[in-house]
Amino acid sequence: MTPVTVTGTTQEAGAPFGAAPPAGDPAAAIVTRGLTKRFRGGQVAVDALDLTVPRGSVYGFLGPNGSGKTTTIRMLLGLVTPTAGEYAVLGLPPARALPRVGALVEGPAFYPYLSGAANLLRFDAADPSARRATARRRVADALDRVGLSAAAGKRYRTYSLGMRQRLAIAAALLGPRELLVLDEPTNGLDPQGTREVRALVKEIAADGTTVFVSSHLLAEIEQMCTHAAIMRTGRLVAQGTIGSLSAGRVPLIRVETPDVAEAARVLGALGLAGVRTGAGELTAELGGQRPETINAALVGQEVAVRGLAVVRPSLEDVFVGLTGEGFDVDG
């Protein structure tokens, strides 16, 4: 691994680069150790970030707007100089890794009067490392990969929101990519466009590309990703597989009933802790009880049960538990 090491307490042009590798998995797609960005004036946007992104994963980078996600991505892509820390992308400094990395940060600007294919050809022509002789074939392959072959000749202005985002991802896939970095890829999309992008990300990962997805939408990350990291005010508060992040958090039983008070008494008698009541429903920690036993006890006490469900901890629950606050779940 040949990472970048940055030292110092303030940003300087041409900050020094070292050669000591970050500790961690050498097979990781991204590794950062103590990665920090402090802007002039003292504002710390990213504070001592330690990330490990496994190769082949769909890695969700979560946090409210302003939590340091985009600044981190810009550092990883070599667009912003870190103040301090160590980092490596595909085991290399960003400048050497970039030909193997596709990125969508705030989306490229396409010409509305040109077709999708023509836009990609112009986009490819702006890349000095791209081979002109293979441009048309690579554009056709990229459009096919994102499911836009049938719309290749249509003007960009006729594309739906989801199609436009898929075209932007196609622009990031014009060459072979080992890592794809997407900053808020579903932001502003309608439900159909969101589903399209979510399915595309999973397909790209299935082909062996590591996908690093930044988002403030917890529900999207939970459906799309295999791993996730949670940021808050520039600091990392948790990272791991989606399953491990919620491990150890107690599942709940939720009961919908008009007889809330009586249902609460029954759940208490069964030894369930954390009983909370609301309008027409109540929840409690499931503990070691079986849902069917709880349901039988409620019915046996003539409680009218309209609905009963086991609620597993979500990423929102994890975030709230770690930070004491929430952020957008659905957008």
Side-chain angles (χ1 to χ4, degrees):
M1 179 178 294
T2 310
V4 174
T5 301
V6 183
T7 60
T9 56
T10 59
Q11 180 186 356
E12 299 175 0
F17 295 139
D25 183 359
I30 297 172
V31 178
T32 75
R33 293 294 178 262
L35 192 63
T36 300
K37 178 60 182 177
R38 180 181 291 105
F39 291 106
R40 289 187 176 91
Q43 177 192 357
V44 179
V46 178
D47 190 2
L49 179 63
D50 292 349
L51 278 183
T52 301
V53 178
R55 287 181 185 260
S57 65
V58 181
Y59 195 97
F61 196 40
L62 273 166
N65 292 326
S67 61
K69 302 188 306 297
T70 298
T71 299
T72 298
I73 286 175
R74 290 182 178 277
M75 287 191 285
L76 294 174
L77 296 176
L79 301 174
V80 170
T81 304
T83 304
E86 301 175 333
Y87 62 124
V89 177
L90 300 174
L92 300 168
R96 291 174 56 194
L98 283 180
R100 295 151 58 184
V101 178
L104 173 58
V105 182
E106 297 179 357
F110 291 118
Y111 293 100
Y113 56 88
L114 291 180
S115 68
N119 266 297
L120 290 190
L121 285 169
R122 284 179 175 262
F123 194 86
D124 186 71
D127 182 356
S129 66
R131 295 181 59 195
R132 302 293 171 260
T134 62
R136 292 190 178 277
R137 177 181 58 77
R138 288 185 291 102
V139 165
D141 289 346
L143 287 169
D144 179 64
R145 194 171 188 189
V146 301
L148 287 178
S149 293
K154 294 183 179 179
R155 293 186 179 185
Y156 178 76
R157 67 186 180 193
T158 68
Y159 280 19
S160 67
L161 290 174
M163 292 170 69
R164 292 181 180 191
Q165 198 70 337
R166 283 190 282 150
L167 187 68
I169 294 174
L173 295 172
L174 285 171
R177 308 299 187 196
E178 295 178 40
L179 172 65
L180 182 61
V181 179
L182 305 176
D183 189 14
E184 301 282 0
T186 61
N187 199 25
L189 296 184
D190 57 19
Q192 177 59 32
T194 298
R195 285 192 293 270
E196 291 174 4
V197 171
R198 185 195 307 146
L200 175 59
V201 166
K202 292 180 177 179
E203 290 171 9
I204 292 170
D207 290 338
T209 300
T210 304
V211 186
F212 184 84
V213 186
S214 165
S215 181
H216 65 283
L217 305 177
L218 290 97
E220 277 306 303
I221 292 298
E222 198 161 18
Q223 294 181 66
M224 189 188 308
C225 297
T226 60
H227 297 69
I230 300 175
M231 294 283 287
R232 177 175 180 262
T233 60
R235 296 190 65 87
L236 182 70
V237 295
Q239 72 173 320
T241 64
I242 295 295
S244 69
L245 287 173
S246 58
R249 298 187 178 271
V250 180
L252 304 177
I253 189 79
R254 182 176 63 215
V255 181
E256 298 177 17
T257 175
D259 308 323
V260 171
E262 180 61 15
R265 185 192 67 76
V266 173
L267 296 187
L270 288 172
L272 273 65
V275 177
R276 295 184 179 182
T277 60
E281 69 172 31
L282 70 161
T283 60
E285 295 179 5
L286 185 58
Q289 291 284 0
R290 298 168 62 185
E292 55 268 35
T293 301
I294 296 170
N295 186 58
L298 290 167
V299 173
Q301 295 296 315
E302 299 185 349
V303 174
V305 178
R306 292 174 175 168
L308 185 144
V310 175
V311 182
R312 304 292 176 184
S314 66
L315 278 180
E316 180 188 15
D317 299 323
V318 173
F319 183 85
V320 172
L322 289 168
T323 68
E325 59 185 73
F327 59 102
D328 281 346
V329 180
D330 301 315

